[in-house]
Amino acid sequence: MVIKGSKPPSGEGCKRRLSTKKLLRVMKLTAIILLSACLAASAKGKSQGITLSVKDAPLEKVFIEIKKQTGYSFVYYKDDLAKGQKVTIQVSNARIEEVLNLLFKDKPITYSIFEHNIVLKQKTESPNEQTTDEPKPIPITGKVFDENGNPLVGATVTVRGTQTAVKTDANGQFTIEANAGQTLVITYVGYVDEQIKVGNETTLTVTLEVDVKSLLAVTVNKGYYTEKMRNTVGNVATVKAADIEKQPVSNPLLALQGRVPGLVITQSSGVPGSGVTVRIQGRNSINGGNDPLYIIDGVPYPSQMLATTTGGNNFTGILGTSGGSNLAPGGNGNPLSFIGVENIESIEILKDADATSIYGSRGANGVILITTKKGSVKGKNKIELNFQQGWGKVTRTIEMMNTRQYLDMRYEALRNDGININSISNSTSFRYYDLNVWDTTRYTDWQKVLTGGTAHYTDANGSVSGGNANLNYRIGGGYHRETTVFPGNFNNKRGVVNFIINNQSLDRRFSLQLSASYINNNNALPQADFISTALQLPPTAPPIYNGDGSLNWAPNSIDRSSWTNPLSQLNNKYENTTENLISSFIVGYKITPDLELKTQLGYNRLQTDEFSGLSILSRTPESRATFNRTAQYTSSTIKFYLAEPQLNYTRTFGKVKIDVLLGTTIQQNQNKGEVINTSGHPTDDLLRDIRSATSFNIPSSIDAVYKYNALFSRINLNWSNKYILNLTGRRDGSSRFGPENRFQNFGSIGGAWIFTEENLFKKQSILSFGKLRASYGTTGNDQIGDYTYLDLYNSVSNPVPYQNWSSISIDNISNPYLQWEETRKLSVGFSLGLINDRILADITFNRNRSSNQLISYSLPYTTGFTSVYLNLPATIQNISWEFSLNSMNVKQKSFTWETNFNLTVPKNKLVSFPSIEQTTLAGSLVIGQPLSITKAFHYLGVDPVTGLYQFLDQNGNPTTSPTFNDRTVLVNTDPKLYGGFQNSFRFKRVEISTFFQFTKQKQSTLSLLKFGYANPPGSASLNQPAFVLDRWQKLGDDAEIQKYSTAFSAYFPWSNASQSDAGIVDASFIRLKNITASYDLKTDFLKKSHIEKLRLFVEGQNLLTISKFKGIDPENQSSSSLPPLRVLAVGLNVQF
Amino acid sequence: MFSKKSICTLYILLILISIFSCKKLVEVDPPGTQITSNNVYNNDATAIAVMNGLYSKLSSTGFVGGSPLISNISLWAGLSADEFILWSGTTITALLYYQNALNASAHGSEFWMSTYPLIYVCNAAIEGLQKSSSLNSTVKQQLLGEAKFMRAYFYFYLVNLYGDVPLALTTDYTVNSLLSRYAKSAVYDQIRSDLSDAKDLLANGYVKNDAVTLYPTASAERVRPSKAAASALLSRVELYNNNWANAESEATAVISNTSLYDTVPLNNVFLKNSKEAIWQLQPVLSEITNTQEGFFFNLTIAPIGVNDFHSVHLSQSVLNSFEAGDKRKVNGNWINVFTDGSGTYYYPYKYKVGSIGAPVTEYPMFLRLGELYLIRSEAKARQNNLPGAIADLDVIRKRAGLPLIANSIPGISQTALLNAILHERQVELFSESGHRWLDLKRTGNVDAVMATATSLKGGTWQSYQQLYPVPVDDLLKNPNLTQNAGY
């Protein structure tokens, strides 16, 4: 392959110049290398010995012959070759190197081999004759890269056993003299030493592998750039695949729980695919969105499912929400559950201004960057297979009343109300079916029947990866299936395929990356969660099945069903099918070694189709005659388009290294969706057939576009790895705001001082690393939903149009002056490394202040709406102290013990809100208090005289019927502290790790739980927790629970009690979140079968929870949705 | 071709272009599925659709499992009064209305919460229509009339259910969120003014969906407010305000329009497009769904059991109030009976189609001629025009198959006649539009009647309960608002 055109003039001065010809040549060269790389793959099979016999032949001819025989292509500049003239050579079955050595023996040409390309270069100097016979030091040049292909500056290259040592320059390059047969050792702090035997190659490319044990060397992805943890100015945390993979979870977010300071993740339900709420450093917005920005391999990803109906919730609520807000409501479920966990290399959590300002208006709530696995650069194909089988159970149950206790409660309530059960006419009274229709001797543990099942969890995935530093790939696939703890055959299935290809030209100037992942998820669930039914059904409730196996409706004497059989629900269907495509294309080109152009193009698509159908069989037999089958079909699509051209300039001036980044983002999101309600399907079998319906209605349809455009930049100055200054800035425009207020500037300044680089500390032996860092800057929040600045009318769909004409309705009050919400973040951190970084400690103080609050300002009904979106001058402050400690307690060859600990102490406060009293928020917010504050009644216990709950009124007197103004107590439900604690042990080939998560908190919402479940104890035929037994029975009793009663007079004190300070209970917990034990099998058999690694493991999730909380789970604190499950899984990992 | 420099320049240019063209890059069209308010009132079709949206909303509101709304006031106000017996195993909301045990923090403010948003639509329509210059003038006039009529209709119920209420007349939330309560009389002044405007603006007949063309009299769909509807509501308003002469003249304006309106046999009254109808709504829920009233009141199973569905039947006091021989009480006329092992239940049968699947023959009725005869009768009696009053009353009695006052007690005293008229209202208008609840309060009989009725319903009557409570939410958000006494 010959490159036409003249050879570029040499010399330092020219190199810097941007010459047309050179650029063109480089481009051509790159293209040719690319092409030949592809061609080479097909010629690979031919690499056997070379047999040549030519006399005075032109070199070109020889090249063609060699290519024919071996598949090796030659790449060179024609001018270089002109000096080569003709050759004579005779070899038989020779190695390529031998042939090449002979060919160029006395020619001013050197060669180097990259894959199947032979690159020829004119010898730059050294006209001396080379003798191949006796070993003479030869100059070896090379370049050292880190695992991401970035040059490593300052790596040490030594010739083993000699004093010869050099350091790599600003471009990672080195030149050293060594003899063939000697070994070069390349070392760099935080990386595994690399040893290379000097052979015939004189040009080396070395990629160092990260020493995973050294956290400071970890490369942190900061979105538009990467950095060593050691040098980061910002507050960033990274969680690597090793920790993510250990956990049997299907949503990668759940693998982060408790592991990152400042990050709170709450799972709304234990059903697969359920909602997950993520908060980084607290709530910054009063009621705008508080979701972080998710970026997968550079391309934004939705934080919420599309809310296809007004109000946010789709037909069924079983999946739970992901903490969407009024302004930016989300549908049920969580989009991140459609990312295969096994495909993730690392997740970075960016928290402070230094890290997030570059994301401008989207960074106020932090950024979560997900990096997927890349191909291997090791040159060898690697096949990895994983298989996992697990079993999940509900973590805790509530001790409910047994039959005797239950019946006593019911009779006592009737006695207290003076109701004589015998005077109630026969068996037709619904309220007393439990006493006069049902068999009162029965006992059923409904928690066991309805939520006591075992969820099965199966996960299988595999990948093939290979390549080298120039071209590498990874192709993966996986299957995941999870069932529920409910009765019935429900499951969530997911299939994933993904690939990534990386290419770099020989000179590393041109680079390409193409990646895509496709996921198909099929979730079939019951229409409603069985948790509340399990807690409410009296223990005496009838058997589920009749003798003949049919559902038992327990008819009373006049053939009316006396209960709604809980399993009748299983006849209703809910299915959620999601297809997810994540794709990205990155092309980069280094114009000069210092200046790189890069463009990323991305496209993500999330398409969800839901179906739910109400079967006639879910109804009592007597109501079926009038029952109309209904079904709902929902489809929604979220699309993201991204184009991000960037310019990156890196150069070292003396001791200072400068990184400059300039780029622009052009992003567009498109949300489309509609809901179709139908009714009148003639049979259950046709519920799926939309045509069989007699009536159609489209309650909602969405077609929204969000456009976003920005210019961003970063300047990083690094003075000898000692002083680091980082400046970032972004100018943002978003279509979510009115035309007047679309643009805004954001920026940050951050600095770090690695004081252990000062001479003073260099002598220290204990203190191996010390860094002080601080950053300050602004970020914004545009999570307010699309078009909120427009006055919009929506179509109303009714099966029969009014007067056969369309109808429209007004759904919001608009505010064309909406602006960004701005968060100013201050972060100061102090990192220490002791004993060669075996102990690393970090303390960070963060203060985030959000102002110009975008508020869904609630309005009285008299305005026609409940809220309007406004910017109000409220300032909200989130202060947090984050502590983390990593310690390698024991580091021996056969035994290591490592401990990680993190702790966050957050404090949220409404700092100021001028003229709050003139706003509608005066009733719910208090200056100086957290946003989560709740005004509650002060609880005085049970009145020994009346047996009813009492409260303190505003005048200081006890009352059983407080009014709104009697809410005199402020209750703070924010977590006080939270964190995690991990210990990892490795003993020879056994690895064990345990991870505890802890939170000190009160229950997050006022709740009735303390006072009985869902209804006043005894008031209806509903079971109650056993703790309500401590009740008032007679005059003078001092009891926890008020008297049992069916009357209204008892209902209101009970519901008020839930609005009192006693309604808040301690929900602190310590949870053994994860235990993993694994064993690396090593046998001769494995060696023979080319199995590199066979790892057997056992994993447990949510194994043990220690909490005083009276409900089912202190984490999701819900009494109506399934808690996170306790999962135990076994599996194996095989690598070839 | 390209030089390194030129590529670099191109790149920087690209970035710069994107900054300067930022505006373009973040400009979006209005959403494909929505229309901006500016466009709505520039086009006849969309302007009509706004009012259609309002009617559809009223018409699509169900009774079952729903919440109290103006369009199902016949149920909820009936529960508050003495018209129904409610099955005790139903929702707490229904039970609280039924036992007159509304509690400001729990229930009772539903009508307030659901009506002001409808008033907003009227206000927005009035503002939008008045501003618009591109609408057909006849369409604009009709729609303006409809919006004013609807606003008056909503305020009529608000003022009767809650007493003094904030008078929101614009779309400006800064004004509306700080409104204080207006005296009842001021609210009535506004209602009167809206209705008198509506009378001038609305078509003298029933318009088709283009808001211009009149239906032929015989087949008029009476589903958009007309001049007569405005008069009929105004007549009711004047009656409530003791403006007897006006009440009489407004009623006469409708009654005398005999080409459009006439009394029809009992079982034809509630049919769609009946000549009795002054304003009905068109059912929109499905081709085979008749009225919500028919669906809810008609019992196919006993009003007991697990569902809220079919939880109501007629109270003894309604049944007892019929005179002997009243055809309205005959089973299959305006009352019907359901019997099963658990008992015998009488239910309202004005709307006869309850099941889904039957062709639509009935429309829900909001204003009808029968009421106007009774209004005029009362107004005349108050003005001491006893013969005139008797004549109007006898129109209703005659249809019910009762002896005419003119024959049986021609010398009836004014007081006795007024009592007879009120009694006639109870039996003629039972389970309709909350008439009984409003009449009890209007005539000052509420304490006397409800003391007994509430205790029969399992509650305890206290006089303050005749007004429903203002929502606590609004009290918190609007410092100028006060709660009704007693709550």
Side-chain angles (χ1 to χ4, degrees), chain A residues 774-878:
Chain A
S775 71
Y776 182 74
T778 57
T779 55
N781 182 356
D782 72 345
Q783 288 176 32
I784 57 163
D786 302 315
Y787 305 113
T788 43
Y789 60 92
L790 284 177
D791 241 334
L792 292 173
Y793 283 53
N794 278 303
S795 286
V796 180
S797 162
N798 284 304
V800 186
Y802 204 84
Q803 281 200 315
N804 207 17
W805 195 272
S806 63
S807 288
I808 55 179
S809 71
I810 314 169
D811 293 341
N812 71 319
I813 306 188
S814 66
N815 175 0
Y817 306 106
L818 280 185
Q819 273 185 328
W820 307 94
E821 190 171 284
E822 194 175 80
T823 301
R824 292 174 181 275
K825 296 182 174 183
L826 170 73
S827 175
V828 180
F830 183 60
S831 309
L832 275 186
L834 302 173
I835 325 173
N836 290 326
D837 300 346
R838 271 179 65 178
I839 299 174
L840 291 171
D842 188 280
I843 299 177
T844 308
F845 167 81
N846 303 289
R847 197 199 69 189
N848 301 343
R849 285 191 158 181
S850 304
S851 54
N852 203 21
Q853 284 285 322
L854 266 176
I855 290 173
S856 164
Y857 180 78
S858 62
L859 293 173
Y861 293 104
T862 47
T863 60
F865 291 89
T866 49
S867 63
V868 62
Y869 305 130
L870 291 182
N871 288 99
L872 288 180
T875 303
I876 289 151
Q877 173 176 285
N878 278 294

Side-chain angles (χ1 to χ4, degrees), chain A residues 581-594:
Chain A
L581 175 72
I582 302 172
S583 61
S584 147
F585 178 71
I586 303 170
V587 55
Y589 177 67
K590 279 186 182 153
I591 303 172
T592 73
D594 306 331

Side-chain angles (χ1 to χ4, degrees), chain A residues 316-328:
Chain A
T316 167
I318 188 165
L319 287 176
T321 70
S322 292
S325 67
N326 298 340
L327 285 142

Side-chain angles (χ1 to χ4, degrees), chain A residues 15 17-20 22-24 27 428-431 433 509 558 560-564 589 591-592 595 597-599 619-620 622-623 626 628 645-647 662-664 666-667 694-695 701-711 731 733-735 742-743 787 789-796 798-810 812-815 857-866 868 870 917-920 923 964 1048 1051-1052 1056, chain B residues 1-5 7-8 11-12 14-15 18-19 21-37 40-41 44-46 48-50 52-56 59-60 87-89 92 95-96 99 101 103 105-106 112-113 116-117 120-121 124 166 168 171 173 176-179 207-210 215 221 223-224 280-288 300-302 304-307 309 338 340-342 356 471-474 476-479:
Chain A
K15 258 188 201 166
R17 233 180 287 140
L18 301 170
S19 129
T20 322
K22 186 169 179 185
L23 179 72
L24 205 60
M27 285 179 72
T428 57
S429 183
F430 163 66
R431 296 195 119 190
Y433 282 155
R509 283 193 155 179
I558 52 159
R560 297 265 168 272
S561 300
S562 64
W563 74 326
T564 302
Y589 177 67
I591 303 172
T592 73
L595 185 66
L597 301 178
K598 198 169 116 181
T599 294
R619 294 301 161 124
T620 56
E622 65 270 20
S623 65
T626 52
N628 200 2
Q646 294 158 51
L647 261 177
L662 180 69
T664 178
I666 301 162
Q667 188 192 324
T694 55
S695 167
S701 112
I702 296 169
D703 183 359
V705 173
Y706 161 54
K707 283 186 181 172
Y708 171 89
N709 178 227
L711 176 76
R731 177 166 173 79
S734 162
S735 68
R742 288 217 165 122
F743 293 91
Y787 305 113
Y789 60 92
L790 284 177
D791 241 334
L792 292 173
Y793 283 53
N794 278 303
S795 286
V796 180
N798 284 304
V800 186
Y802 204 84
Q803 281 200 315
N804 207 17
W805 195 272
S806 63
S807 288
I808 55 179
S809 71
I810 314 169
N812 71 319
I813 306 188
S814 66
N815 175 0
Y857 180 78
S858 62
L859 293 173
Y861 293 104
T862 47
T863 60
F865 291 89
T866 49
V868 62
L870 291 182
E917 64 286 348
Q918 281 157 37
T919 74
T920 55
F964 194 87
F1048 270 136
Y1051 177 87
F1052 288 114
N1056 286 330
Chain B
M1 273 182 56
F2 306 110
S3 68
K4 213 184 251 188
K5 206 180 215 165
I7 286 205
C8 212
Y11 219 76
I12 292 170
L14 225 147
I15 290 174
S18 89
I19 312 163
S21 63
C22 268
K23 291 218 150 113
K24 274 264 156 60
L25 286 167
V26 294
E27 255 167 34
V28 289
D29 291 331
T33 52
Q34 288 161 306
I35 176 167
T36 59
S37 60
V40 165
Y41 299 104
D44 290 347
T46 47
I48 292 169
V50 174
N52 279 8
L54 195 63
Y55 307 138
S56 306
S59 176
S60 60
W87 160 241
S88 62
I92 211 106
L95 215 50
L96 291 175
Q99 297 190 333
N103 175 306
S105 60
W112 179 296
M113 285 152 53
Y116 277 106
Y120 180 92
V121 177
T171 54
Y173 68 86
N176 292 344
S177 60
L178 293 171
L179 290 173
V207 291
K208 292 186 173 174
N209 58 18
D210 60 6
Y215 282 108
E221 290 268 320
V223 296
R224 296 190 89 92
Q280 296 179 313
L281 286 176
Q282 178 210 310
V284 294
L285 286 184
S286 94
E287 298 85 344
I288 48 167
T300 51
I301 59 169
I304 56 171
V306 182
N307 295 317
F309 189 73
F338 175 84
D340 74 356
S342 66
I356 292 169
V472 172
D473 273 0
D474 275 20
L476 287 174
K477 293 169 189 169
N478 179 354

Side-chain angles (χ1 to χ4, degrees), chain B residues 322-401:
Chain B
F322 286 99
E323 292 166 50
D326 193 327
K327 285 205 281 186
R328 290 170 295 203
K329 198 194 173 186
V330 173
N331 287 340
N333 285 342
W334 282 10
I335 282 176
N336 213 354
V337 68
F338 175 84
T339 310
D340 74 356
S342 66
T344 300
Y345 310 94
Y346 291 92
Y347 56 88
Y349 198 53
K350 289 177 169 176
Y351 299 94
K352 306 190 189 312
V353 190
S355 61
I356 292 169
V360 176
T361 52
E362 294 172 345
Y363 280 3
M365 181 83 82
F366 290 83
L367 289 170
R368 66 177 174 100
L369 200 61
E371 184 202 347
L372 285 187
Y373 274 107
L374 291 170
I375 290 173
R376 195 168 71 172
S377 171
E378 189 176 337
K380 284 177 178 169
R382 290 284 184 180
Q383 297 173 86
N384 228 356
N385 173 4
L386 299 189
I390 291 167
D392 283 342
L393 181 61
D394 280 346
V395 172
I396 301 302
R397 289 180 65 86
K398 187 178 171 201
R399 178 165 69 183

Side-chain angles (χ1 to χ4, degrees), chain A residues 514-656:
Chain A
L514 177 67
S515 65
S517 160
Y518 171 81
I519 288 129
N520 192 316
N521 189 88
N522 204 320
N523 204 352
L525 290 170
Q527 275 206 345
D529 203 309
F530 281 105
I531 280 282
S532 20
T533 316
L535 296 175
Q536 287 184 12
L537 272 182
T540 55
I544 285 188
Y545 296 106
N546 293 316
D548 62 0
S550 60
L551 285 184
N552 177 17
W553 292 94
N556 66 7
S557 57
I558 52 159
D559 259 359
R560 297 265 168 272
S561 300
S562 64
W563 74 326
T564 302
N565 189 313
L567 293 201
S568 61
Q569 264 206 54
L570 300 186
N571 295 305
N572 296 330
K573 291 281 178 278
Y574 171 70
E575 274 168 46
N576 179 321
T577 310
T578 300
E579 288 181 46
N580 184 12
L581 175 72
I582 302 172
S583 61
S584 147
F585 178 71
I586 303 170
V587 55
Y589 177 67
K590 279 186 182 153
I591 303 172
T592 73
D594 306 331
L595 185 66
E596 189 186 17
L597 301 178
K598 198 169 116 181
T599 294
Q600 170 155 31
L601 303 171
Y603 174 62
N604 287 351
R605 183 176 190 273
L606 194 66
Q607 156 93 42
T608 303
D609 291 290
E610 280 177 285
F611 162 77
S612 54
L614 282 185
S615 156
I616 199 164
L617 297 175
S618 65
R619 294 301 161 124
T620 56
E622 65 270 20
S623 65
R624 288 178 194 170
T626 52
F627 177 69
N628 200 2
R629 287 178 189 82
T630 60
Q632 186 175 64
Y633 308 79
T634 304
S635 84
S636 63
T637 313
I638 305 177
K639 289 183 203 167
F640 280 77
Y641 304 87
L642 175 85
E644 258 180 357
Q646 294 158 51
L647 261 177
N648 214 327
Y649 178 77
T650 308
R651 180 130 188 237
T652 307
F653 297 96
K655 288 185 164 179
V656 183

